[in-house]
Amino acid sequence: MNIGNCFENGQIGTISEIIKSKDKTFNPHPKFKGVCLKNLVTGDMTNNKISCVLVRVEPFCTLDTHIHENSLEIHEVISGDATCYIGENKINYTVGTVGVIPENVSHKVEAGKNGIYILAKFTPAL
């Protein structure tokens, strides 16, 4: 079972509604080929306290070096494999790995042969 697919087709429950994840669109990353983003929880749902994005990186593609100036980012690897660089630290991303990326720290993710799904959480929300 691909847990990434489960999140693609799951649901988001809030105080006032249940949203089907499949009704939310995967959007190609504007800069990085083979990277798609699905906004599961947006800032308008949380008073801008947190957001959650399902990130899909196709096999052997790269979510290249970037920073988030005003948000702490947490990666939860839910499917696949990759190498992540957080600052100067190299981390093997496998299912169950959690990455902690402080604001203003450069990071990138290089997907392996299976590609990767990451739940990326940002606080404050992007």
Side-chain angles (χ1 to χ4, degrees):
M1 172 180 11
N2 182 326
I3 295 175
N5 289 334
C6 293
F7 278 91
E8 279 190 60
N9 298 299
Q11 61 185 9
I12 302 120
T14 73
I15 193 167
S16 60
E17 63 184 327
I18 297 173
I19 303 162
K20 294 180 181 178
S21 297
K22 68 181 178 180
D23 292 342
K24 297 206 170 235
T25 306
F26 258 120
N27 297 301
H29 194 286
K31 294 182 181 177
F32 307 125
K33 183 180 177 184
V35 179
C36 292
L37 310 170
K38 182 184 276 206
N39 294 309
L40 298 178
V41 177
T42 58
D44 63 334
M45 298 166 74
T46 66
N47 199 24
N48 289 319
K49 293 189 186 301
I50 192 167
S51 56
C52 180
V53 178
L54 182 59
V55 180
R56 182 179 68 206
V57 184
E58 298 297 329
F60 303 113
C61 289
T62 300
L63 175 59
D64 216 344
T65 304
H66 64 286
I67 65 168
H68 302 284
E69 293 179 0
N70 299 308
S71 293
L72 167 76
E73 182 175 4
I74 302 290
H75 286 173
E76 298 174 13
V77 179
I78 58 173
S79 180
D81 61 282
T83 301
C84 181
Y85 300 85
I86 301 173
E88 300 298 318
N89 197 15
K90 178 180 174 182
I91 302 152
N92 290 324
Y93 266 16
T94 57
V95 174
T97 301
V98 175
V100 179
I101 306 154
E103 60 186 38
N104 292 310
V105 172
S106 66
H107 55 286
K108 76 176 179 176
V109 177
E110 297 174 339
K113 67 178 180 175
N114 298 308
I116 193 165
Y117 280 88
I118 298 168
L119 278 179
K121 297 176 181 160
F122 301 89
T123 185
L126 289 182

